[in-house]
Amino acid sequence: MTPPHRGSGGAAQGRPPPTVDRRLLAANPLTAASTLLGALLVRTGLGDQPETIVGRIVEVEAYGGQEDRASHARMGPTARNAPMFGPPGHAYVYLVYGMHTCLNVVAGPEASASAVLIRAVEPLEGMAAMRHARALSRTPGQHVPDARVAAGPGLVGAAFGIGRDLNGVDLCRAGSTLRLARDDIACSPFDVLQGPRIGIAYAGEPAVSLPWRLGIAGSPSLSKPFPRPGDIP
DNA sequence: CTAATGATGTCCT
DNA sequence: GGACATCATTAGA
């Protein structure tokens, strides 16, 4: 019954946690996604709020390059997806539905144009700053519980104050205002949920059926439940 | 509880 | 002009 998240000590306090090794992200996107699951997302340098925001990545989706009909890279390089064709470990930030920003971590070898979408984060530190950032981005959620403040791709963007200005930022560099960190101390082992990606019905088969959405079992911060093995056809 | 809907801006045809 | 890797709110069973 012990939750797999938030282990013993508050490891996120004190010295800044170590960055994520860029080479671990240079593998195929599904492997990179698996690496990012359980890692920390760290936000600093919010103008008005001195607080640092730290959360644990609990849900991700892998996207391939041109061969993946669900990927933004499917049309080849464009102005929007340019960061996907760059080196791994950098941010690809884009606007969906005219109002929400989503964060991707570029993956794979350079120019492979694959990426990992950060779909949900479990808050660890900086609750007040997260809610403040959400209010600024007109995503009120005044009554949502702490665990659900970043429980969706658009909500991750809102709660971490991620705007297009962060497009292309190096998430593996310690000095970046948005960065990834390892969580070797506080992160207990967890079970990985797997399912089809969300919101890509337009892509058709085989893309719609690939189980490239990964989540941490038991986390209260998943964007939505994963289909169970014996679920509706 | 599920389903429908409006908000909103940018990219690509 | 159409479609979109979404969210909050409202309407309905």
Side-chain angles (χ1 to χ4, degrees):
Chain A
M1 201 57 87
T2 76
H5 40 276
R6 202 186 263 286
S8 37
Q13 309 280 357
R15 307 242 311 275
T19 59
V20 165
D21 189 331
R22 192 183 314 279
R23 285 170 307 205
L24 296 175
L25 301 173
N28 70 70
L30 191 57
T31 302
S34 162
T35 292
L36 289 170
L37 205 58
L40 301 181
L41 187 63
V42 181
R43 178 71 158 114
T44 55
L46 257 1
D48 36 355
Q49 293 270 326
E51 212 169 353
T52 294
I53 298 175
V54 182
R56 193 144 90 95
I57 297 170
V58 296
E59 184 183 333
V60 295
E61 276 176 0
Y63 285 88
Q66 298 207 219
E67 75 285 352
D68 182 359
R69 306 310 272 175
S71 171
H72 283 181
R74 65 187 178 278
M75 296 301 188
T78 66
R80 178 175 66 163
N81 66 22
M84 293 184 76
F85 289 82
H90 288 245
Y92 164 45
V93 178
Y94 70 95
L95 190 66
V96 267
Y97 298 109
M99 56 196 78
H100 301 294
T101 59
C102 295
L103 170 68
N104 291 259
V105 180
V106 176
E110 178 155 359
S112 71
S114 51
V116 177
L117 171 68
I118 307 301
R119 276 196 62 89
V121 169
E122 185 173 321
L124 293 177
E125 221 181 287
M127 249 358 277
M130 291 179 99
R131 291 188 182 274
H132 182 71
R134 273 189 58 149
L136 286 182
S137 63
R138 293 171 295 179
T139 312
Q142 288 277 29
H143 301 286
V144 308
D146 284 358
R148 305 217 50 87
V149 160
L155 297 180
V156 171
F160 279 76
I162 299 172
R164 308 273 296 281
D165 54 313
L166 292 177
N167 195 27
V169 159
D170 187 356
L171 300 170
C172 295
R173 216 185 56 213
S176 297
T177 58
L178 182 67
R179 69 181 206 270
L180 297 163
R182 294 197 358 220
D183 188 16
D184 293 335
I185 302 170
C187 186
S188 345
F190 50 82
D191 289 328
V192 177
L193 302 171
Q194 202 164 177
R197 295 172 289 181
I198 305 292
I200 56 153
Y202 63 89
E205 296 289 358
V208 287
S209 297
L210 294 175
W212 282 7
R213 175 188 178 215
L214 305 181
I216 295 185
S219 170
S221 305
L222 297 177
S223 67
K224 48 169 53 169
F226 278 69
R228 298 239 332 228
D231 215 357
I232 40 179

